[in-house]
Amino acid sequence: MAYHAITVVFGAILAVTILSDAADPKLLFGWIGAVLVANWLSLTVTNRLHERAGTGTWPLTLVTGDAAFRAALWVAMPVMTFQGADPLLKITLLGLVLCVAAAGLALAAVPSAAFAWVGICTGAMMWMLWRDPFSYPLTLNMLPVLFAAVMVFGLFRLGQLVLNQSRTNLRLAEQNRSVTQLIEEYEHRGGAWLWETDQHHRLSYVSPQIGMILGQASSTLVGQSFPAIFGGSLILSSTLQKLAVFDKLEFEVATKNGARWMSVSGTPRLSRMGNFEGFRGIGLDITEHKLSNDRLVNLAKIDSLTGLPNRTHIRQLFEEGLAQAEKGFGQCGMLFLDLDGFKPINDTYGHSKGDALLKAVAGRLVNAVAGYGQVGRIGGDEFAVVLPNIDGRKAMEILAQRLIDVVSETYLIDQSQLDVGCSIGGAMGPSDGRTVEELLKRSDLALYHAKSDGRGIYRHFDLDLQKKIDHRLDMERALREALAEDQFELHYQPIVSAQKPQVVGFEALIRWDHPTRGRMSPAEFIPVAEEVGLIADIGAWVLRRACADAAAWPSHISVSVNVSPLQLLSSAFPNLVGDALAKGRLSPNRLELEVTESIFLTDGDGALKILKQLQMQGIRIALDDFGTGYSSLGYLNKAIFNKLKIDRSFVREAGIKKEAVLIVQAIVALASSFNMTITAEGVETADELKLMRDLGCHQIQGYIYSKPMPFQKTFELFEKKDTRSAIAS
């Protein structure tokens, strides 16, 4: 509006100058005064309306009317003085009106006002030419019409452009306001903060949050080096120097309120020419997240009950110690500890006292190991000790014995005196092994060896122990192959009546001819089978084969089968026996199961229950190797044993020691009182045979009659007419 008003006033001044000689001065000065006042009022009113409207849309009718009034006022003087003027003055006035009409372009933002201005000006020119036309060609008189058409078209296009640009500006302004509000909301509510730097990495903008974190006003940070506000962070400085995108760069910052952790991401800002202008990015205070992660990491490494390092952390510590040892910094030892007698305490007193006992043990171990290494809990009642830079095997043995002594001292837990022991196994790297996995296995192996040797002792891994374990593993694999490939067979040793040499039964004895090792002794492979859990499968095979073989013998001949205590632990064992009898088509009274006194060491009541079930099926039960193990006299009166077998050691000693004779007499008398059949095992000489007969044994078994024989050879005892001579031979 100011530009338009100035143009109009300047045109009025030119008009007064041009018409100074052709018009009444009073009229001219009155006219220019009116033009000046009208334009001043127009500027004043429109400015006030603009201020009230803010971004500005004041009434179109008022603006259009104002433009029309001022246009009519301005052209009034040229119209009045045009008629009768000389041609040069006419042309001058027409040119001046054309220039003033062109000033209507300044009103293009309000198209109706612009059209009103241009329309009135061009209309006045057409009126002037119509009243007093030139004597020149018609085209000259048509110039105002052509000018009006061009101006209308130009104003229309310019108005569209101005309108579109105004709308675009309004939309962008609204978007900018929305973005600004979103940024302010994000900065206010979120933990993140925004930042921007120039090409020298000086801050040009930073959110207020970072000032709160660092303990100073954010306005004082603007202009400072971005890395400098974080204490000259080297990692941030080196990252910015690369002038590349970076994401989640983490570093620690010292503040007035303590150390804080920051995560910063940034993107380079480039000009249209591709020149670097600085960085723009986002930052986040991740201190709480970092602390939470650290707490979770610590929890993942700590045993919740004792507060000691758990299995995972102990393994990590051992890896670190072994790595140092590999570099030549001494030896790294590992001790595996297992409490002896903890389970009965836990079962008797409950888990709360058991847990309290474990805590007390952990405390004693930590105090005893202090300065030597790190104690950890592997799980249950198992602990481990990592000993970095231990001074040889002797030092480990001394420390292990100290731990055994400390742990074995009496505990007072809730007014209860509790006692536990401790067995320890150890290995040392790199002398005993070069990998963590290898040394852990060897420490565990040494612990197993310590418990096998009597508990409460320390054993260190050695190669002989490894050989034993390797042998056991080889034996386990071979046993599994033997079962799969049917390598086992049964031999049978006759059981003969003591009063007359007549076979009354056979004891089934397993034999194994290994394809490469040859004949394997049952004393060698049966314990391994029990240890690795194969005894149940082997025992089932023996039962099925023995029942099937015995069915081919005369009906008065029985078969005896040895049963492992581990087989009796299974409640399904009676069903297994019944299935073997059914498939072999053997009468139950022809099967005799031999058990040893060791069945009473584990679950004696459970074993008795199963034996009674078997006896109710008609199966005979024999107590084998009587007198060599644990006292089981108390079980003889429970009426579950049909036979008692006197061990070979008593038979042999009875021939040379009077005390042994008295023991055998007592055993025979006791068994007879319970109506048991008595069998003497391992009889090898005629003197032993006569003595066992005289002492009252009912049956004889031993080399004096026959060694165990293959199944097919047993039929020779039945085919000969003189069975007595066949046995005696």
Side-chain angles (χ1 to χ4, degrees):
M1 290 298 295
Y3 165 77
H4 181 265
I6 292 172
T7 303
V8 171
V9 170
F10 182 73
I13 294 173
L14 287 176
V16 170
T17 302
I18 295 170
L19 296 173
S20 60
D21 296 331
D24 183 1
K26 293 181 179 180
L27 182 63
L28 283 175
F29 285 109
W31 171 73
I32 194 171
V35 169
L36 289 173
V37 171
N39 281 275
W40 176 79
L41 288 174
S42 178
L43 278 174
T44 302
V45 172
T46 53
N47 284 336
R48 289 181 179 178
L49 288 174
H50 179 77
E51 290 173 357
R52 291 179 182 178
T55 54
T57 53
W58 51 91
L60 295 178
T61 54
L62 178 61
V63 176
T64 304
D66 172 70
F69 171 75
R70 288 186 297 110
L73 178 62
W74 199 95
V75 298
M77 181 57 65
V79 169
M80 288 187 296
T81 58
F82 184 83
Q83 190 172 0
D86 62 79
L88 181 59
L89 182 60
K90 286 182 178 181
I91 292 174
T92 302
L93 288 174
L94 286 174
L96 186 59
V97 173
L98 282 174
C99 290
V100 172
L105 293 174
L107 302 175
V110 186
S112 59
F115 287 136
W117 183 273
V118 173
I120 290 174
C121 289
T122 54
M125 286 190 295
M126 294 174 67
W127 172 261
M128 290 159 61
L129 289 172
W130 181 74
R131 289 288 305 272
D132 191 6
F134 282 102
S135 58
Y136 299 108
L138 180 62
T139 54
L140 182 61
N141 292 295
M142 293 298 294
L143 281 176
V145 177
L146 179 62
F147 172 78
V150 172
M151 285 295 294
V152 168
F153 178 76
L155 285 172
F156 177 76
R157 291 295 300 158
L158 184 59
Q160 282 186 322
L161 292 175
V162 171
L163 183 61
N164 290 338
Q165 185 61 43
S166 298
R167 289 174 177 172
T168 300
N169 291 339
L170 287 173
R171 185 171 64 254
L172 291 176
E174 186 63 31
Q175 289 177 351
N176 288 336
R177 281 195 300 273
S178 298
V179 170
T180 301
Q181 290 174 353
L182 287 174
I183 291 174
E184 291 175 352
E185 183 74 13
Y186 177 74
E187 291 181 326
H188 178 69
R189 295 185 179 275
W193 42 274
L194 306 177
W195 60 276
E196 186 176 79
T197 68
D198 60 17
Q199 59 184 342
H200 301 295
H201 309 311
R202 293 188 296 259
L203 282 171
S204 56
Y205 173 80
V206 68
S207 299
Q209 282 83 347
I210 192 60
M212 297 173 61
I213 294 172
L214 297 178
Q216 54 183 307
S218 58
S219 59
T220 64
L221 299 177
V222 175
Q224 294 189 41
S225 167
F226 190 36
I229 71 170
F230 297 118
S233 172
L234 293 178
I235 185 173
L236 178 59
S237 178
S238 61
T239 301
L240 293 175
Q241 294 300 326
K242 296 176 183 178
L243 306 183
V245 176
F246 61 94
D247 185 48
K248 297 179 180 179
L249 179 69
E250 297 182 4
F251 52 87
E252 191 175 13
V253 182
T255 72
K256 295 179 179 179
N257 299 319
R260 310 293 295 179
W261 276 90
M262 298 293 164
S263 174
V264 177
S265 302
T267 303
R269 295 186 297 112
L270 302 178
S271 67
R272 292 183 179 180
M273 301 300 293
N275 297 322
F276 173 73
E277 293 185 339
F279 275 96
R280 179 185 291 120
I282 186 171
L284 188 65
D285 185 347
I286 59 170
T287 305
E288 295 302 323
H289 176 71
K290 194 79 173 178
L291 293 176
S292 297
N293 282 348
D294 290 343
R295 284 192 291 267
L296 289 175
V297 170
N298 288 332
L299 287 175
K301 292 182 177 181
I302 299 300
D303 174 60
S304 59
L305 176 64
T306 62
L308 297 176
N310 59 14
R311 178 189 295 270
T312 302
H313 194 193
I314 278 292
R315 181 188 179 96
Q316 180 182 347
L317 293 173
F318 193 37
E319 288 176 348
E320 294 171 357
L322 184 59
Q324 290 298 313
E326 287 283 3
K327 295 178 181 178
F329 297 100
Q331 298 274 332
C332 181
M334 168 65 79
L335 297 177
F336 271 9
L337 298 82
D338 186 79
L339 299 184
D340 301 325
F342 175 75
K343 186 177 185 301
I345 292 176
N346 205 39
D347 294 341
T348 302
Y349 293 96
H351 293 292
S352 59
K353 281 194 177 181
D355 290 347
L357 178 58
L358 289 174
K359 291 180 182 179
V361 170
R364 291 187 183 183
L365 291 174
V366 169
N367 291 333
V369 175
Y372 290 93
Q374 180 71 57
V375 180
R377 183 180 177 217
I378 302 301
D381 60 348
E382 295 180 340
F383 295 84
V385 180
V386 176
L387 302 168
N389 199 23
I390 189 70
D391 189 18
R393 179 178 292 195
K394 186 63 178 179
M396 283 186 67
E397 292 177 356
I398 294 173
L399 177 60
Q401 188 58 52
R402 184 193 308 168
L403 296 180
I404 292 173
D405 295 340
V406 167
V407 170
S408 300
E409 294 177 3
T410 300
Y411 298 82
L412 184 62
I413 306 293
D414 295 335
Q415 307 304 317
S416 299
Q417 289 188 344
L418 306 177
D419 291 287
V420 292
C422 176
S423 298
I424 304 179
M428 190 164 51
S431 58
D432 293 330
R434 310 196 75 86
T435 67
V436 171
E437 197 65 36
E438 188 176 38
L439 288 167
L440 291 176
K441 289 181 179 178
R442 291 181 173 179
S443 298
D444 192 42
L445 183 61
L447 173 61
Y448 173 81
H449 189 41
K451 297 180 78 69
S452 300
D453 284 355
R455 301 172 184 266
I457 58 177
Y458 169 72
R459 288 290 180 265
H460 195 97
F461 170 82
D462 58 46
L463 292 178
D464 289 338
L465 180 60
Q466 183 66 52
K467 290 177 182 178
K468 291 179 182 178
I469 296 302
D470 291 342
H471 175 71
R472 188 189 66 81
L473 292 174
D474 291 342
M475 183 68 74
E476 179 182 351
R477 286 192 293 268
L479 283 171
R480 295 186 186 279
E481 291 176 1
L483 273 173
E485 300 173 6
D486 199 22
Q487 294 178 3
F488 296 116
E489 63 175 323
L490 292 183
H491 283 202
Y492 296 92
Q493 186 173 34
I495 301 173
V496 182
S497 172
Q499 303 306 318
K500 51 183 178 179
Q502 182 178 357
V503 176
V504 295
F506 291 91
E507 180 179 358
L509 300 168
I510 190 169
R511 295 292 182 264
W512 179 23
D513 287 327
H514 191 274
T516 58
R517 300 178 185 179
R519 176 62 58 90
M520 302 287 290
S521 169
E524 184 179 0
F525 67 81
I526 290 299
V528 176
E530 290 180 333
E531 183 180 339
V532 301
L534 288 174
I535 193 63
D537 294 335
I538 293 176
W541 178 88
V542 170
L543 266 173
R544 289 192 296 269
R545 178 59 60 86
C547 290
D549 289 349
W553 295 331
S555 59
H556 67 281
I557 302 297
S558 64
V559 63
S560 297
V561 177
N562 290 282
V563 177
S564 167
L566 295 177
Q567 290 177 270
L568 285 176
L569 294 177
S570 172
S571 59
F573 183 67
N575 293 332
L576 175 66
V577 175
D579 182 65
L581 289 170
K583 290 183 178 179
R585 298 183 180 182
L586 184 70
S587 175
N589 62 358
R590 294 180 61 191
L591 175 63
E592 187 174 82
L593 298 179
E594 297 186 9
V595 298
T596 62
E597 295 173 284
S598 59
I599 64 170
F600 305 119
L601 287 177
T602 52
D603 186 6
D605 293 337
L608 286 173
K609 181 179 179 181
I610 291 176
L611 290 175
K612 286 181 179 179
Q613 286 183 262
L614 294 168
Q615 196 175 53
M616 290 177 63
Q617 296 179 23
I619 299 166
R620 294 171 59 82
I621 308 298
L623 183 58
D624 195 14
D625 299 335
F626 183 79
T628 61
Y630 300 88
S631 175
S632 55
L633 296 177
Y635 292 97
L636 295 181
N637 64 353
K638 296 184 180 295
I640 61 168
F641 296 109
N642 305 103
K643 179 187 288 188
L644 188 149
K645 301 185 76 173
I646 299 174
D647 187 70
R648 160 66 185 160
S649 60
F650 285 102
V651 173
R652 183 176 61 254
E653 291 183 1
I656 57 176
K657 293 182 181 180
K658 186 176 181 179
E659 295 83 356
V661 172
L662 295 175
I663 293 174
V664 173
Q665 284 179 330
I667 292 173
V668 170
L670 181 63
S672 297
S673 67
F674 291 117
N675 296 318
M676 295 181 186
T677 301
I678 300 110
T679 300
E681 292 186 291
V683 179
E684 297 182 356
T685 66
D687 290 339
E688 291 174 350
L689 174 61
K690 183 179 183 304
L691 181 59
M692 291 301 108
R693 282 175 177 172
D694 294 343
L695 289 174
C697 293
H698 304 116
Q699 296 175 350
I700 304 296
Q701 182 180 350
Y703 284 2
I704 190 170
Y705 285 126
S706 174
K707 293 181 179 181
M709 61 186 68
F711 170 65
Q712 295 299 332
K713 196 171 182 179
T714 61
F715 291 97
E716 296 178 4
L717 302 180
F718 311 131
E719 292 172 355
K720 294 182 179 181
K721 294 181 180 180
D722 189 355
T723 305
R724 295 180 183 180
S725 61
I727 297 174
S729 62

